[in-house]
Amino acid sequence: MPRLTLVRYATKPEFAAENEALARAVFAELKAARPEGVAYLLFRSGEEWIHLFVNTRSDDGSVLTELPAFKAYSRDVSQRCTTPPEAARYAFELLESYGLADG
């Protein structure tokens, strides 16, 4: 069953640039590793952030969470936030997609 995880939070203004740099390092590692069936998106509006992770092959997030850059990003995230990360995880059957690897 595919996995979809949505995480939303807000950072302290003085930590927004650091948070973005740490998040972009995760994308650099993903691009180098090129895991199949995975999509990861990052949205920002000022100090508000939304991360969307999709694994079209299984209900598993370790392809993301085991990356060294993700561990570095996660380590002090609560100290950078005014609103702590709130994650919603779903396991759904993928019926259709546009722009995501269908695997």
Side-chain angles (χ1 to χ4, degrees):
M1 189 77 35
R3 177 189 196 121
L4 183 134
T5 304
L6 177 73
V7 179
R8 185 175 186 172
Y9 60 96
T11 55
K12 298 171 187 172
E14 64 271 22
F15 289 109
E18 178 185 353
N19 194 72
E20 183 172 333
L22 288 165
R24 287 184 183 270
V26 175
F27 281 89
E29 282 192 10
L30 276 174
K31 289 175 183 175
R34 301 184 53 85
E36 292 188 26
V38 169
Y40 188 46
L41 298 90
L42 174 63
F43 302 92
R44 179 181 178 188
S45 178
E47 281 80 47
E48 294 183 42
W49 305 79
I50 294 176
H51 297 246
L52 179 63
F53 171 77
V54 179
N55 184 337
T56 62
R57 295 187 172 208
S58 72
D59 183 18
D60 180 25
S62 65
V63 67
L64 175 66
T65 60
E66 291 301 315
L67 291 172
F70 188 86
K71 289 179 180 182
Y73 163 81
S74 299
R75 188 173 11 258
D76 297 323
V77 70
S78 63
Q79 294 176 4
R80 297 190 303 271
C81 292
T82 57
T83 304
E86 183 178 322
R89 292 178 182 90
Y90 308 95
F92 287 113
E93 178 183 356
L94 177 63
L95 298 178
E96 293 282 343
S97 79
Y98 176 84
L100 293 177
D102 294 317

